[in-house]
Amino acid sequence: MRYASWRPRAGWSAASHAGRTANPENDTDKKGKKYAQAGIPYYLIVNPIEGKCLLYSLPSGTHYRALREADFGEPVPIGAPVDAELDTTVLYTY
């Protein structure tokens, strides 16, 4: 399956990506655009190299209107419909 033809299933509340950021533009721009277009409320990127989480929210067309950045160790609140808090104290850098 090619990424360009991939579409999320109805009812998704969040998408996430964890791993090395060898191509950060792909994670933030290309994937973020696709998820926002699909109306997925949250897109979370976990960067274990920098020890940061990026939570994009409020999709509008081809982009997200809000971004919350948190260092590992700080909680990341995720609003409705997920209504949860990501505990980043369990994450570690490498």
Side-chain angles (χ1 to χ4, degrees):
M1 173 180 352
R2 294 183 48 142
Y3 176 77
S5 64
W6 178 85
R7 297 287 183 262
R9 294 182 180 169
W12 278 33
S13 298
S16 64
H17 174 79
R20 293 183 300 139
T21 55
N23 187 352
E25 292 80 23
N26 186 53
D27 297 338
T28 57
D29 296 338
K30 292 179 183 177
K31 290 181 184 179
K33 179 180 178 179
K34 297 279 185 194
Y35 296 147
Q37 284 178 317
I40 296 174
Y42 300 99
Y43 175 39
L44 174 69
I45 298 175
V46 178
N47 183 333
I49 296 169
E50 294 181 13
K52 294 194 177 294
C53 293
L54 303 175
L55 179 64
Y56 293 87
S57 61
L58 303 173
S60 177
T62 61
H63 68 280
Y64 283 95
R65 293 180 289 155
L67 168 63
R68 179 181 183 108
E69 184 175 325
D71 293 325
F72 284 9
E74 298 174 3
V76 178
I78 304 173
V82 177
D83 289 325
E85 187 171 82
L86 177 65
D87 176 9
T88 66
T89 61
V90 299
L91 302 177
Y92 57 92
T93 59
Y94 59 86

